[in-house]
């Protein structure tokens, strides 16, 4: 699905958002996008409604191993939450309008806090596979932007500010919760590259030189699109989606260790770290 006409795009977003409202009744204000191998959190929710992506207007199926391809609405403790188990990537051939369609739909349906997660390669040589990293900022190395084309004026400004995409408040809360759990939470800059080939050693060195700590193939377009959206609340004041980002370092990026990279390694490490990830995210959702 590629939509270049703003009216068509807004119509599709309203259709998808209305579908979620009808299926879920009251849409939770908190949502999380789960990266490769991180779907276990969705399995911990109770009183769930599971909607395969293929049933949601405008959503294609996800074709990546480790991505379930379903929206799960349920309770994290007593907190209503939406978990998106799987996402769409540009390397699958999807246009960026499709890649960010779920994030925009969630916001249109009523989500106001969005946690975006991913499996990433470690660029910072102090990191180790299995580490969790709070995303402080990002670098876009793809040369593409989900806001290309005619601006969706109904959502936000033509030239949105990007100085604080990832909420400092959520970042502090992540570190407070990690400290309570005895977890050594890292912090750093996430670098977005197109994939699907893993980065070369030279590209990893370049990412490190410019300040990157982790590298991956997702997250940034969703964060840009969600940051673009501005709502007016009942008092007429502007309201934005608060964004948090977490990377699971599933492997050290190319050239750091003397072995080739595989997707099996990514999913294996994600499975091993899923308990710590789930524990942190569960506490985060309940304390936001």
């Amino acid at each position: 699905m590629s939509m270049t006409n703003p009216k068509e795009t807004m119509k599709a977003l309203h259709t998808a958002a209305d579908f979620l409202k009808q299926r879920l009744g009251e849409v939770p204000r908190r949502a999380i996008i789960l990266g490769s191998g991180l779907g276990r959190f969705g399995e911990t929710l109770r009183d769930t409604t599971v909607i395969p992506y293929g049933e949601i207007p405008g959503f294609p199926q996800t074709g990546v191993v480790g991505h379930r391809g379903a929206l799960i609405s349920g309770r994290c403790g007593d907190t209503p939450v939406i978990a998106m188990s799987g996402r769409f990537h540009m390397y699958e051939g999807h246009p960026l309008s499709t890649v960010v369609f779920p994030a925009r739909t969630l916001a249109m349906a009523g989500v106001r806090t969005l946690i975006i997660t991913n499996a990433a390669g470690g660029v910072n040589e102090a990191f180790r596979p299995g580490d969790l990293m709070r995303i402080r900022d990002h670098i876009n190395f793809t040369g593409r932007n989900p806001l290309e084309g005619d601006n969706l004026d109904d959502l936000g400004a033509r030239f949105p500010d990007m100085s604080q995409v990832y909420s400092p408040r959520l970042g502090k809360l992540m570190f407070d919760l990690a400290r309570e759990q005895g977890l050594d939470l890292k912090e750093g800059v996430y670098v977005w590259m197109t994939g699907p080939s893993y980065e070369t050693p030279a590209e990893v060195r370049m990412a490190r030189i410019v300040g990157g700590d982790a590298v991956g193939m997702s997250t940034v377009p969703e964060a840009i699109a969600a940051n673009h959206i501005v709502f007016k609340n009942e008092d007429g004041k502007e309201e934005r989606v608060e964004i948090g980002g977490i990377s699971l370092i599933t492997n050290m990026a190319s050239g750091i260790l003397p072995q080739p990279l595989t997707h099996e390694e990514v999913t294996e490490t994600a499975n091993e770290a899923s308990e710590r990830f789930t524990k942190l995210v569960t506490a985060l959702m309940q304390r936001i």
Side-chain angles (χ1 to χ4, degrees):
M1 177 194 64
S2 178
M3 292 176 295
T4 58
N5 184 293
K7 289 184 178 179
E8 292 179 1
T9 301
M10 292 306 303
K11 181 179 178 181
L13 287 169
H14 281 294
T15 298
D18 289 345
F19 173 86
L20 293 184
K21 292 174 184 177
Q22 292 169 3
R23 285 289 298 269
L24 302 179
E26 185 173 349
V27 176
R29 291 178 63 84
R30 300 167 178 83
I32 182 168
I33 299 174
L34 298 168
S36 294
L38 298 176
R40 182 178 175 184
F41 171 76
E43 298 171 2
T44 68
L45 301 180
R46 58 185 180 84
D47 302 330
T48 58
T49 298
V50 179
I51 309 175
Y53 287 166
E55 295 182 11
I56 306 173
F59 279 50
Q61 292 284 2
T62 179
V64 181
V65 175
H67 289 250
R68 177 177 176 182
L71 183 148
I72 306 167
S73 179
R75 290 189 173 274
C76 178
D78 293 327
T79 304
V81 169
I82 287 178
M84 287 194 55
S85 187
R87 54 155 53 92
F88 313 122
H89 304 81
M90 191 165 67
Y91 65 72
E92 296 176 86
H94 296 301
L96 282 174
S97 58
T98 297
V99 173
V100 302
F101 191 83
R104 284 171 167 165
T105 297
L106 291 175
M108 296 281 289
V111 168
R112 292 297 178 268
T113 302
L114 180 63
I115 307 300
I116 309 175
T117 73
N118 58 63
V123 172
N124 188 322
E125 293 180 300
F127 290 177
R128 293 293 177 266
D131 283 345
L132 295 176
M133 182 191 87
R134 179 250 165 174
I135 300 176
R136 180 180 68 249
D137 203 347
H138 70 239
I139 297 172
N140 181 354
F141 267 169
T142 70
R144 297 295 308 279
N145 192 298
L147 306 184
E148 294 171 5
D150 292 333
N151 186 52
L152 299 179
D153 295 330
D154 291 342
L155 293 185
R158 168 78 281 186
F159 304 107
D161 175 64
M162 296 290 294
S163 61
Q164 204 169 86
V165 177
Y166 303 93
S167 164
R169 184 187 78 88
L170 290 179
K172 181 180 183 305
L173 180 55
M174 289 180 199
F175 279 106
D176 289 344
L177 293 171
R179 193 177 306 111
E180 292 175 10
Q181 297 175 5
L183 173 66
D184 180 21
L185 179 64
K186 308 297 186 182
E187 182 178 61
V189 175
Y190 177 86
V191 179
W192 177 38
M193 295 192 184
T194 57
S197 58
Y198 288 111
E199 301 73 30
T200 67
E203 289 168 339
V204 171
R205 290 194 299 272
M206 175 183 67
R208 186 183 303 119
I209 289 170
V210 300
D213 296 287
V215 64
M217 308 172 191
S218 68
T219 299
V220 170
E222 295 147 320
I224 292 173
N227 179 72
H228 175 236
I229 302 172
V230 179
F231 299 96
K232 290 289 182 67
N233 62 23
E234 295 177 354
D235 299 326
K237 296 181 180 179
E238 288 189 352
E239 184 179 20
R240 292 179 175 272
V241 178
E242 190 174 22
I243 303 166
I246 302 174
S247 291
L248 168 59
I249 306 301
T250 52
N251 56 275
M252 298 310 294
S254 181
I256 296 178
L257 297 178
Q259 71 239 21
L261 305 180
T262 67
H263 190 66
E264 288 74 22
E265 178 186 2
V266 170
T267 54
E268 181 180 345
T269 304
N271 289 333
E272 292 172 354
S274 63
E275 184 175 350
R276 287 181 290 110
F277 171 83
T278 299
K279 186 177 179 182
L280 176 63
V281 169
T282 296
L284 177 63
M285 285 301 187
Q286 294 175 345
R287 290 270 290 271
I288 290 174

